[in-house]
Amino acid sequence: MNGLLDSVDLVCERTQDGIWAEPLNAISSLAYFAVPIIVWFIAKDRVKQDRSFAGLLVLMFLVGVASFSDHTLSIYLAHLFNEAATAVFIVAYVIYACRRLLEIAWIPTLIVVLSLSGLGILFSVWSYSIGTGGIGGYFPIWAFLLYLASALRGSQTLRYFLTGSAAFAVALAFRASDSVVCAHFPAGTHFLWHLSNDIVLFCLLMAIVRFRTGTRLRTI
């Protein structure tokens, strides 16, 4: 149990112990709460009619709680909570996208989830081995977003997936560069990873809102 309560220092901004040792990272984490609230106001009817979509908003809110906890408490248990909340949201979104947007059966959906998970682990191990942290673990989900942008022809949906994919590429660059710029920019760039991800998540949720059942699929 002591190990779970040990301090962790994984970002450039944290140079000492204390709840407010990462002010930019902590404050930018609060933006995760704004995304589901904004989407809820935009799509109240969808939220009321679609419990699965409402569940995604709740999970998004949980990501905010986990991220804020990680960057204030800065203990291993909070970090695990952050990683777990993020993973659960990603899996839930992939399942929703496969079932509701791509309209594929459960077995292919599970194959997609397991494949993305396995590739994520492999790429994460690879990226750790070359000193870029676990950024590689996000590459498969980025590829999945690009696939969604290509496969779904609805103009509104396409716009959101393309914007989300581009914003995710920027977010990954900010996450990877945190330790690189640390010597010249003590605040690091992790807080920009948070803010860029808010754009990504807003786009992904709005793609669902704008999606029209029966949208033609394009195979690649």
Side-chain angles (χ1 to χ4, degrees), residues 9-16 21-22 25 173-192:
D9 180 8
L10 301 174
V11 292
C12 175
E13 190 180 18
R14 177 167 289 273
T15 58
Q16 59 186 6
E22 299 177 43
N25 289 337
F174 282 135
R175 184 179 175 94
S177 61
D178 184 59
S179 60
V180 177
V181 305
C182 197
H184 307 287
F185 185 56
T189 57
H190 193 82
F191 73 98
L192 295 173

Side-chain angles (χ1 to χ4, degrees), residues 102-176:
L102 299 176
E103 298 178 341
I104 63 177
W106 269 110
I107 291 180
T109 295
L110 293 177
I111 292 174
V112 171
V113 170
L114 292 175
S115 297
L116 290 175
S117 299
L119 288 172
I121 292 172
L122 290 176
F123 276 103
S124 182
V125 171
W126 168 76
S127 61
Y128 271 115
S129 70
I130 62 173
T132 58
I135 185 175
Y138 293 98
F139 290 169
I141 190 64
W142 183 43
F144 181 70
L145 296 183
L146 291 173
Y147 172 76
L148 289 176
S150 177
L152 299 170
R153 287 193 175 188
S155 59
Q156 293 291 324
T157 300
L158 175 63
R159 179 179 67 179
Y160 282 110
F161 278 126
L162 285 178
T163 303
S165 298
F168 197 37
V170 174
L172 290 173
F174 282 135
R175 184 179 175 94

Side-chain angles (χ1 to χ4, degrees), residues 50-61:
D50 188 345
R51 291 183 179 179
S52 296
F53 182 66
L56 287 177
L57 297 187
V58 172
L59 290 176
M60 176 73 225
F61 203 84

